[in-house]
Structures are given as C-alpha cells and as structure tokens.
C-alpha cells in the first residue's frame, strides 16, 4: 500500500476562520476546506510503508524553535498554459522582533530553515522530497488544468481585504493525502513539537 505524504504547518483555528471568511466570489474556483488549509514545508508524494516509517523517524530528529508568523499578501501560481492561473494563495511571513539583532540578508530565518532541515532529514533517510523553491503560502483555491484568467481574479484581488492574522507555529505534521470525489482529505500521521 502506498501513502501520499507531505510535511506541513497547520494554522490555528482563528487563522483558518479568517481565511475561510474571504474564500468566495470567483467563478469556477475550487475553494479549499478547513481540513485542507496548511502551509507545505516539503512534499514527498507516493511512498511505501517503509518510506512512511523512515519519514516518521527522520522528522523526529528536527530541532528548531517555534516561529511567529503572519498572513501576508494574496498571490497566484500559473498553470503550464501561458496566461492561465492554476492556484490562488496567501503568503505567510515571519514576524521578526525589531529588538533582536538583525539577521544578515542571506539568513532566510527560522521558517525557511525549518523547511530546509525537513528536506535534508528526509534525503538522509533515502526519501526524495520535492526540489521546488520554498514559497511560504497557504493555498486558498484551485482552478483545474484549464486555469483561470487574470480578469476572473481581478475583482477578488482588487476588492477583498487581506485577512490579518498572526500566530506562533509550535509544531509541524507529517500528513497523508487521500484523494476523493470532493478533493483531497488530509490526515496527520505524526506530529512534532518545535522548540
């Protein structure tokens, strides 16, 4: 039996509620459900039972502090078809303490460091996480293979206020994705505390 896995942060209820409150108003959008709202740190894809066990053990070695996060601006990912949008998302940014020493520009901060540590640990366990650049975001809607035009999204992006919410990420999860008629359903397989 294979397992479709990814590693993610799950925003708390008040953040998910803020997101759900703005998720409407685009024709053809497949809006994410409360269960689907997450920030992907690494995507593994299909693994067998041994791969699942290796992932559970590898992630237990991660040691990194909690990080303060906030919702940022809306963004989109294009489809493979020019000029068509496949995904609407909202960015997530770290809240940096102005009183703390400034990190050099090359230091990406705890959230990117966490994603990199996770991917490194998975590779050491002979697993192959995705190689895409890490863009901290939470997917809000998908538009299928045909995608949406920028014109279709313009009213939403122009008139929808960006939800304002902050939280401290104190844990992350290994999650199994099960595809079904209503889209994917996500079930945490293992959870790991930060700190």
């Amino acid at each position: 039996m294979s397992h479709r896995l990814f590693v993610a942060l799950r925003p708390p209820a008040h953040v998910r509620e803020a997101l759900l409150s703005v998720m409407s108003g685009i024709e053809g959008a497949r809006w994410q459900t409360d269960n689907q709202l997450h920030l992907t740190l690494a995507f593994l894809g299909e693994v067998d039972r041994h791969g699942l066990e290796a992932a559970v053990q590898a992630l237990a070695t991660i040691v990194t502090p909690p990080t303060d996060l906030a919702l940022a601006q809306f963004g989109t990912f294009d489809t493979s078809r020019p000029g068509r949008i496949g995904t609407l998302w909202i960015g997530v940014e770290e809240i940096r303490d102005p009183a703390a020493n400034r990190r050099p520009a090359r230091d990406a901060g705890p959230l990117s460091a966490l994603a990199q540590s996770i991917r490194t640990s998975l590779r050491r366990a002979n697993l192959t996480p995705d190689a895409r650049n890490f863009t901290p975001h939470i997917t809000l809607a998908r538009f299928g293979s045909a995608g949406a035009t920028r014109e279709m999204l313009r009213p939403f992006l122009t008139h929808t206020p960006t939800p304002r919410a902050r939280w401290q990420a104190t844990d992350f999860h290994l999650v199994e994705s099960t595809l079904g008629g209503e889209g994917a359903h996500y079930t945490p397989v293992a959870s790991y505390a930060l700190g």
Side-chain angles (χ1 to χ4, degrees), residues 95-165:
I95 302 170
R96 299 188 185 214
D97 182 356
N101 292 335
R102 289 195 160 276
R103 287 193 283 267
R106 66 184 178 279
D107 183 351
L111 185 57
S112 292
L114 173 61
Q116 184 59 46
S117 294
I118 287 168
R119 292 168 190 223
T120 299
S121 292
L122 292 170
R123 283 189 205 100
R124 286 184 185 144
N126 294 317
L127 298 166
T128 310
D130 64 314
R132 288 176 286 188
N133 288 335
F134 177 60
T135 302
H137 71 280
I138 298 169
T139 296
L140 302 179
R142 299 182 191 280
F143 299 97
S145 59
T149 64
R150 298 208 179 280
E151 198 56 40
M152 290 169 68
L153 271 71
R154 191 175 317 282
F156 178 90
L157 295 173
T158 302
H159 301 296
T160 304
T162 306
R164 298 290 174 208

Side-chain angles (χ1 to χ4, degrees), residues 157-180:
L157 295 173
T158 302
H159 301 296
T160 304
T162 306
R164 298 290 174 208
R166 296 179 171 206
W167 75 100
Q168 184 176 69
T170 57
D171 55 10
F172 67 95
H173 313 276
L174 178 63
V175 181
E176 182 165 8
S177 172
T178 306
L179 301 177

Side-chain angles (χ1 to χ4, degrees), residues 79-109:
T79 66
S80 58
R81 295 175 60 190
R84 304 294 285 194
I85 294 167
T87 306
L88 170 68
W89 49 266
I90 190 163
V92 175
E93 62 188 10
E94 294 177 55
I95 302 170
R96 299 188 185 214
D97 182 356
N101 292 335
R102 289 195 160 276
R103 287 193 283 267
R106 66 184 178 279
D107 183 351

Side-chain angles (χ1 to χ4, degrees), residues 27-82:
E27 186 178 340
R30 288 192 331 259
W31 295 101
Q32 301 293 282
T33 65
D34 180 75
N35 171 263
Q36 295 168 326
L37 295 174
H38 67 275
L39 188 160
T40 301
L41 298 165
F43 180 76
L44 270 170
E46 299 287 336
V47 301
D48 62 14
R49 180 178 56 85
H50 300 293
L52 170 61
E53 292 169 0
V56 168
Q57 292 174 6
L59 295 173
T61 67
I62 303 293
V63 178
T64 189
T67 184
D68 294 318
L69 303 173
L71 296 176
Q73 299 300 311
F74 295 117
T76 59
F77 292 135
D78 292 342
T79 66
S80 58
R81 295 175 60 190

